[in-house]
DNA sequence: CAATAATAGAGAAAATTATTTACATACGGA
DNA sequence: TCCGTATGTAAATAATTTTCTCTATTATTG
């Protein structure tokens, strides 16, 4: 378990001396990470053994181990631990958002199964036509992104956020086509229905969703993205970043499989944009 | 400067012993971070002083400092350092994408100016109506996201990716309204024109774009996002993640300013979704 | 309501371990 | 051959951990 989480758990049970050490941790994280045990003890006005005991209490093997674990915290946002309501300044919120985004990417990386990704990319690269489905602000954006990334590779792809349209497109799809559906919660029953319909018609389905959810079960290939949204209703974003990163990974894997074809198309698109809009070749593709 | 970057720079000039240490770093990062100098030296078949010298060469004050810096590395993906062309397997590409995303978030955090963010949030929170503009796959997505995030706070907001429509909307906008325009390259001349028109009409303009670019200059408030796209034409994504994180930060700051109003609206939207679609309250807002 | 035992907390000093410095040697190239 | 770099050995230093001890607090008992 992560060290600052443990500290949070112990919070009430700390002795006065230990509390002083914890205070320094929160108020001057940088110092704590770089200081030696003597410095830290001095500043907390405790003895070095107390610091060692503190580290042990938090599940570290030694003080050095403690420092390494501290430094490894996904992000230096120590304030992240304190009650949410305290994060008010722009600097605080920035730190908080970035910290959560980093953590989301980190956990995405750990959870992804390369074999599943390869399989998905194989299907996408070989598809005759690709349909990207997703509804609601978040998944609709993801579906749009899938289209945005894949058409650049020279693939035929469309996207829809409209349930009725999704069903019609599914009905129109043919064997050899691929449907990619995204649902953060995994409980989008309309998407489940589309997947079931697709299966009857031999259209391959790929889900980007919560592991074990109805949507995951209905798809022929499910890529699990399991990230807690946290309880702050204002802040549902980090999961979206993870989804975007996932799409990027899939697009890259697909690109590897289409290399020649894709570079050609991309170059044409790029030349078009460049000559049309800006003589400077540094123009970024797509804006 | 970041330690792995320095290592990359020194890469060619390392002596055989130092190279062995570097190899261990790449092949077993976890071990390197947790090992003592003796363990690390033993495994690299060098003497402890050589390890110290290696650390010094990389700009660290001591071996412990070296370990702390290693542990602080935004992402443990050591392969990130190795030449791009090696990334072929799903695991490689995943690591590569995630590492870049992490690096983008990291550099975004360092570059953002809290004062500018506060000023932008003040304007957004006080706006009568908000227009989000952006064209091309990437910025269009960003504009959509701005709408997606802000309407949840009870703000009046619309977005458009269509240049002609953008100009018409700008003409229709009134003092007290705010236009937020996104352009990754900063060279979207149509957006510049819209900003100029807005200024004449006393409509406040905020740009999310490259510092010092034409778009930045045309806006009344510019939030700089300066991230190199890198030279891999298949991989323009990490910048988008940074933009999304930025929008999240802005939305959060705005939410702080609208707290009561926003929580009410959000709760209504959420209740609506939950009762409509899924009895389970874990349903994520917006998908 | 003392008096005493038991226990947890904390530091001093010793012991251990890790790290650095200083010095010596070997090797490769000018 | 000579110089400089690379590396190791051993001594010195610094840091960390352990052990031991003291103190303060709380619980228990007469």
């Amino acid at each position: 378990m992560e060290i600052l989480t443990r500290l949070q758990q112990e919070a009430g049970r700390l002795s006065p001396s230990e509390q002083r050490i914890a205070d320094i941790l929160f108020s001057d994280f940088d110092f704590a990470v770089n200081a030696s045990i003597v410095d830290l003890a001095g500043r907390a006005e405790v003895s070095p053994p107390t610091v060692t005991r503190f580290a042990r209490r938090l599940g570290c093997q030694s003080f050095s181990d403690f420092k390494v674990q501290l430094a490894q915290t996904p992000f230096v946002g120590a304030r992240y631990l304190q009650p949410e309501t305290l994060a008010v300044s722009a600097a605080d919120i920035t730190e908080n958002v970035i910290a959560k985004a980093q953590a989301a990417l980190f956990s995405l990386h750990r959870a992804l199964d390369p074999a599943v990704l390869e399989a998905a990319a194989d299907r996408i690269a070989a598809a005759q036509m690709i349909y990207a489905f997703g509804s609601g602000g978040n998944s609709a954006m993801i579906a749009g992104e899938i289209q945005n990334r894949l058409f650049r590779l020279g693939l035929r792809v469309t996207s829809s956020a409209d349930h009725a349209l999704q069903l019609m497109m599914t009905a129109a799809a043919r064997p050899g086509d691929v449907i990619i559906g995204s649902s953060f919660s995994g409980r989008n029953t309309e998407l489940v229905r589309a997947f079931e319909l697709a299966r009857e018609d031999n259209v391959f389905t790929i889900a980007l969703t919560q592991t074990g959810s109805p949507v995951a079960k209905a798809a022929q290939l499910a890529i699990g993205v399991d990230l807690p949204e946290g309880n702050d209703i204002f802040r549902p974003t980090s999961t979206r970043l993870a989804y975007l990163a996932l799409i990027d990974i899939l697009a890259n894997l697909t690109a590897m499989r289409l290399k020649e074809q894709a570079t050609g198309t991309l170059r044409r698109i790029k030349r078009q944009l460049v000559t049309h809009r800006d003589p400077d070749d540094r123009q970024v593709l797509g804006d």
Side-chain angles (χ1 to χ4, degrees), chain A residues 128-129 131 169-178 198 201-204:
Chain A
Q128 292 295 312
M129 174 73 192
Y131 299 89
M169 284 177 169
T170 305
R174 282 173 298 196
D177 293 353
V178 169
D201 294 351
N202 255 322
V203 175
F204 196 79

Side-chain angles (χ1 to χ4, degrees), chain A residues 175-195:
Chain A
D177 293 353
V178 169
I179 294 176
I180 309 175
S182 155
S183 170
F184 284 23
S185 63
R187 303 160 181 279
N188 181 336
T189 44
E190 286 90 345
L191 187 56
V192 171
R193 206 173 311 143
F195 277 2

Side-chain angles (χ1 to χ4, degrees), chain A residues 95-159:
Chain A
E95 200 163 281
N96 203 315
V97 167
I98 302 267
K100 290 201 174 166
Q102 301 254 13
L105 290 172
F106 199 75
S107 95
L108 174 74
H109 179 245
R110 295 166 56 94
L112 285 179
D113 175 355
V116 171
L117 295 174
E118 302 268 16
D122 286 340
R123 292 289 184 163
I124 294 170
Q128 292 295 312
M129 174 73 192
I130 297 156
Y131 299 89
F133 295 161
S135 309
N138 293 328
S139 283
M141 183 269 279
I142 298 298
E145 272 307 289
I146 293 172
Q147 176 174 20
N148 181 32
R149 293 308 302 275
L150 296 186
F151 94 86
R152 287 157 203 264
L153 301 179
L155 292 168
R156 290 187 285 267
V157 54
T158 187
S159 73

Side-chain angles (χ1 to χ4, degrees), chain A residues 37-58:
Chain A
I37 194 170
V38 178
D39 296 345
L40 185 56
R43 182 139 160 200
E45 297 181 313
V46 300
S47 65
T50 302
V51 176
T52 298
R53 283 189 279 258
F54 178 77
R56 291 265 157 75
R57 176 157 195 175
L58 262 42

Side-chain angles (χ1 to χ4, degrees), chain A residues 267-285:
Chain A
R267 214 174 280 134
R268 278 203 305 282
I269 296 174
K270 186 163 188 175
R271 191 174 319 117
Q272 175 66 16
L273 268 173
V274 169
T275 51
H276 175 70
R277 190 192 277 175
D278 195 316
D280 183 340
D281 193 47
R282 287 179 321 185
Q283 171 77 41
V284 173
L285 266 181

